[in-house]
Amino acid sequence: MTVLSAHFCRLSALWISVFLFGSCQIAQAHLISAGNAAITVNPDRGVLLVGVPVSFFKGIDQNQDGLLQPNEIKENRLQMIEQLERAFQLKIGDAALEVVDDQLITSIKADHQDGAPQIEWLRLLKIQPPDLTLPIEVTMNKALVTSEYVIQVKRMDSEELAVLNPSRPSHTFFKNNWGTLQSFFVEGWVHIVTGYDHLIFILVLLVAAINLKRWLWVLSSFTVAHGVTYSLATFGLVQVKPEWIEPIIALTILATAAFGLFKVHLQIRTEMLMVFSLGLFHGLGFASAMASQLNALRFPITSVIGFNLGVEVGQIAVALGVWLFFNAIKNSTEWTERAKSVTLWISFLAGGHWLFERIS
């Protein structure tokens, strides 16, 4: 085996592992997160509502059944609130807010049982008039919170949304346009590079023909399509049920991979139109999940721009990785064709797997 062949086998094995890992997941590239938190700031009071799974608490679930019984909550109430306080911190300006009351709510119950798998923490806060004009900082303790949280903050007629996780545990709301741009840029980036269905769709488009000019037009068409549906959701003009869109997204992967396998070559304008049309469905998946939370965003235009910039940069990063891979084996036509074939076949199988999974 030549050195080139050995390198190719190792790269192929890595590539296949990534694809198979993705196909074993429920590929949701859209905003479906492990937790949610809502913060409302009114002239008279502030309300913090955070939902956490029972597994969040340390030393509370005494019988280790994944549920908290009413007696367990009552006996450990102060300890639970202390753990929540250390995990989620809220400041307006440079100061923490005065606490009025804390409640632990078990709105979700296990079937036919008294125990709850999730606890909602409701904290009432004292608000002063000057607080209504200051930035609001929310910080998660990444040592205590390991999952992703969608944080929605409402203040009077304004609303802002951010996603926090251990790698990005803090966000300042109502700061300025720049803060919103940064937040949604990251969302666009994450939307592409961690969304397996979008990622595989892009890879299928790229490997069909290794041509930088073609890549520019095709990827831009995909970004614009995302922007259209995202903008419509931001301004409350569209909302489609995810269960209708998700199978179509899988079908777009299946069809696009089949085009590549049968070596169907389209003119660039026709291909751009096709990619734009398919991209609308990919964008609808994300937009439908976000629609109810985007209607009152404080900086809607900035969020759209930031999100689409993140999507475009994410696509460029993926394209760069693909180009480096194929550039490394460009001297061997045989291995180049094999790499394309492996990518298309695995994409075709992944698309078929997701289609079956989402319609069943």
Side-chain angles (χ1 to χ4, degrees), residues 143-172:
L144 301 176
V145 185
T146 58
S147 56
E148 184 176 76
Y149 267 78
V150 180
I151 311 291
Q152 186 178 24
V153 180
K154 295 182 180 179
R155 185 174 66 187
M156 307 297 285
D157 295 329
S158 298
E159 180 177 343
E160 193 170 331
L161 182 77
V163 179
L164 302 186
N165 53 49
S167 62
R168 188 159 46 91
S170 181
H171 181 74
T172 301

Side-chain angles (χ1 to χ4, degrees), residues 31-344:
L31 195 61
I32 300 176
S33 300
N36 289 274
I39 300 168
T40 304
V41 178
N42 293 317
D44 55 338
R45 67 176 182 176
V47 179
L48 168 65
L49 181 64
V50 182
V52 296
V54 167
S55 58
F56 163 82
F57 297 102
K58 307 303 180 205
I60 305 298
D61 185 11
Q62 298 167 1
N63 58 4
Q64 298 293 310
D65 63 349
L67 303 174
L68 283 182
Q69 307 297 327
N71 64 306
E72 291 176 314
I73 298 172
K74 183 177 180 180
E75 292 173 5
N76 298 282
R77 180 178 181 277
L78 294 179
Q79 186 180 347
M80 292 169 67
I81 292 174
E82 181 183 354
Q83 291 184 28
L84 288 163
E85 282 180 331
R86 289 190 287 114
F88 300 93
Q89 298 175 6
L90 173 65
K91 293 195 303 182
I92 293 185
D94 296 324
L97 296 173
E98 180 181 343
V99 177
V100 176
D101 186 30
D102 281 306
Q103 299 177 27
L104 299 177
I105 304 169
T106 55
S107 58
I108 301 176
K109 295 290 185 71
D111 292 340
H112 310 296
Q113 298 186 54
D114 292 332
Q118 176 175 303
I119 300 297
E120 293 182 345
W121 176 38
L122 176 65
R123 165 163 280 190
L124 302 181
L125 302 159
K126 186 175 182 180
I127 300 296
Q128 303 292 343
D131 295 336
L132 298 175
T133 61
L134 297 175
I136 299 172
E137 182 181 356
V138 179
T139 303
M140 293 193 327
N141 186 330
K142 60 184 180 181
L144 301 176
V145 185
T146 58
S147 56
E148 184 176 76
Y149 267 78
V150 180
I151 311 291
Q152 186 178 24
V153 180
K154 295 182 180 179
R155 185 174 66 187
M156 307 297 285
D157 295 329
S158 298
E159 180 177 343
E160 193 170 331
L161 182 77
V163 179
L164 302 186
N165 53 49
S167 62
R168 188 159 46 91
S170 181
H171 181 74
T172 301
F173 295 83
F174 306 121
K175 185 178 180 181
N176 49 39
N177 267 299
W178 174 243
T180 300
L181 182 72
Q182 287 178 304
S183 177
F184 279 86
F185 175 87
V186 174
E187 282 310 302
W189 164 273
V190 172
H191 176 58
I192 289 296
V193 300
T194 65
Y196 291 114
D197 44 7
H198 293 334
L199 189 60
I200 289 182
F201 180 75
I202 291 171
L203 285 172
V204 171
L205 293 176
L206 294 176
V207 302
I210 311 300
N211 182 297
L212 294 180
K213 181 179 179 180
R214 171 186 169 272
W215 284 8
L216 175 64
W217 287 111
V218 170
L219 293 181
S220 296
S221 298
F222 189 63
T223 301
V224 171
H226 261 81
V228 169
T229 46
Y230 183 83
S231 300
L232 291 174
T234 301
F235 296 103
L237 299 176
V238 65
Q239 185 173 9
V240 182
K241 293 182 179 180
E243 56 265 30
W244 295 354
I245 295 300
E246 295 297 335
I248 298 177
I249 291 176
L251 188 60
T252 65
I253 297 170
L254 197 65
T256 309
F259 268 71
L261 289 170
F262 287 101
K263 301 187 183 303
V264 177
H265 299 292
L266 304 174
Q267 292 185 346
I268 188 61
R269 291 184 180 180
T270 304
E271 187 174 25
M272 286 175 61
L273 180 61
M274 182 192 74
V275 171
F276 179 85
S277 301
L278 299 180
L280 289 175
F281 289 106
H282 282 250
L284 275 174
F286 182 82
S288 61
M290 291 285 286
S292 62
Q293 298 172 302
L294 290 172
N295 292 339
L297 280 179
R298 188 171 179 228
F299 302 115
I301 296 176
T302 303
S303 71
V304 170
I305 294 173
F307 178 78
N308 283 286
L309 283 174
V311 168
E312 188 71 14
V313 172
Q315 291 179 162
I316 291 172
V318 173
L320 178 61
V322 173
W323 182 83
L324 289 173
F325 177 85
F326 280 98
N327 189 61
I329 59 173
K330 66 181 180 179
N331 293 328
S332 173
T333 303
E334 178 186 358
W335 289 113
T336 297
E337 291 304 313
R338 286 189 181 184
K340 290 181 181 180
S341 180
V342 166
T343 303
L344 292 171

